């Protein structure tokens, strides 16, 4: 904690005292003061000024500028003494000119204010004035644009598998202050409740692919400490799905191919040998003998019963020659 006492700085003292009294014109002079964005200025009614780190005080406050120009400022002064009054002044400065402002009386020491900014600006200065009877203390802190800005999530996200590697690519996040790729860091969520992967100053991620996984890829970004002091992550991007099951042959497809190919070959063979195969598969129906046709036409089942015919007796014929007559002719 940096703490030192200096002689009263009367211009600042008078400006803050006027702000405490509600004088709007003098309060606008805060944009003209030379302030260090890394320090919290504390001025008390005794005339003592301190420069400390904002994390060294019990009170908390912050301002964030979201991608669509939404400025959100919040504060919590829960250590205020009973009956103490807190007034909050939010000054939007464009250089030395105040572009917009809000004055708020916070009764319970906790509050927030957000609104859409349409004017151009470079910094936001917060003033917290605490008063109790004849004593007062003022906090003054300046946010530069680099500290205020919350990035847009990365866009143009693609995920694919190449040569047994998972490859994820994306575009730079939207920023009002920089387009330098070296000033951004990213977190990749690949699904399956794994820890996010950290990537710095790159627009791609490469790792060995797990062919059994279905990846759900989303990315968020923030400015890294090499360029800025902002530690606020952007929102997560939309999710890109990579389902690898559509690249694999399942059991049903393999069985279908195994049975389908032989059946196709059989169909071709049947077409080539149609006539021969037809004769074998569909032989002609035999025609009944004529003697059965009459009974079939009568449709009388009893007609099919026949008595066995007696066996035909063959006649034996004996030829007798006249031997006497033949003998006379011989002599």
């Amino acid at each position: 904690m940096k703490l030192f006492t200096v002689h009263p700085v009367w211009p600042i003292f008078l400006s803050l005292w006027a702000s405490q009294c509600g004088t709007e014109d003098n309060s606008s002079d805060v944009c003209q003061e030379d302030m260090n964005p890394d320090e919290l200025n504390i001025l008390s009614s005794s005339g003592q000024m301190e420069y400390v780190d904002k994390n060294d005080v019990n009170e908390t406050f912050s301002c964030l500028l979201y991608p669509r120009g939404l400025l959100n400022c919040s504060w919590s002064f829960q250590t205020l003494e009973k009956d103490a009054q807190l007034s909050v002044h939010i000054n939007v400065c464009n250089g030395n000119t105040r572009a917009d402002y809000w004055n708020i009386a916070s009764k319970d020491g906790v509050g927030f204010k957000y609104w859409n900014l349409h004017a151009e600006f470079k910094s936001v200065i917060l003033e917290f004035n605490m008063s109790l009877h004849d004593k007062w203390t003022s906090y003054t802190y300046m946010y530069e644009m680099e500290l205020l800005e919350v990035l847009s999530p990365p866009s143009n996200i693609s995920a694919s598998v190449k040569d047994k590697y998972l490859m994820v690519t994306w575009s730079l996040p939207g920023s009002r202050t920089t387009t330098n790729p070296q000033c951004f860091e990213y977190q990749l969520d690949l699904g399956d409740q794994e820890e996010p992967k950290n990537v710095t100053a790159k627009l791609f991620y490469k790792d060995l692919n797990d062919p059994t996984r279905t990846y759900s890829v989303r990315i968020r970004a923030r400015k890294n400490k090499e360029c800025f002091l902002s530690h606020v992550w952007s929102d997560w991007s939309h999710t890109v799905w990579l389902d690898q099951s559509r690249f694999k042959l399942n059991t049903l497809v393999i069985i279908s191919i195994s049975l389908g190919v032989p059946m196709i070959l059989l169909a071709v063979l049947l077409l080539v040998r149609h006539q021969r195969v037809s004769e074998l598969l569909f032989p002609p129906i035999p025609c009944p003998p004529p003697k059965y046709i009459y009974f079939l036409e009568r449709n009388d089942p009893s007609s099919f019963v026949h008595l066995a015919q007696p066996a035909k007796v063959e006649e034996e014929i004996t030829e007798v020659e006249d031997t006497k007559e033949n003998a006379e002719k011989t002599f």
Side-chain angles (χ1 to χ4, degrees), residues 111-139:
F112 67 93
K113 178 65 180 178
Y114 62 90
W115 73 97
N116 286 310
L117 293 176
H118 302 288
E120 294 185 2
F121 68 99
K122 296 181 179 179
S123 62
V124 172
I125 298 177
L126 297 181
E127 297 177 277
F128 300 97
N129 298 322
M130 297 159 281
S131 61
L132 179 62
H133 305 305
D134 58 345
K135 296 181 180 180
W136 57 267
T137 303
S138 177
Y139 288 1

Side-chain angles (χ1 to χ4, degrees), residues 1 13 39 141 152 180-181 213 283 303 309:
M1 174 177 177
F13 177 84
E39 294 178 339
Y141 191 84
S152 299
N180 184 359
R213 286 187 56 182
S303 301
Q309 296 181 359

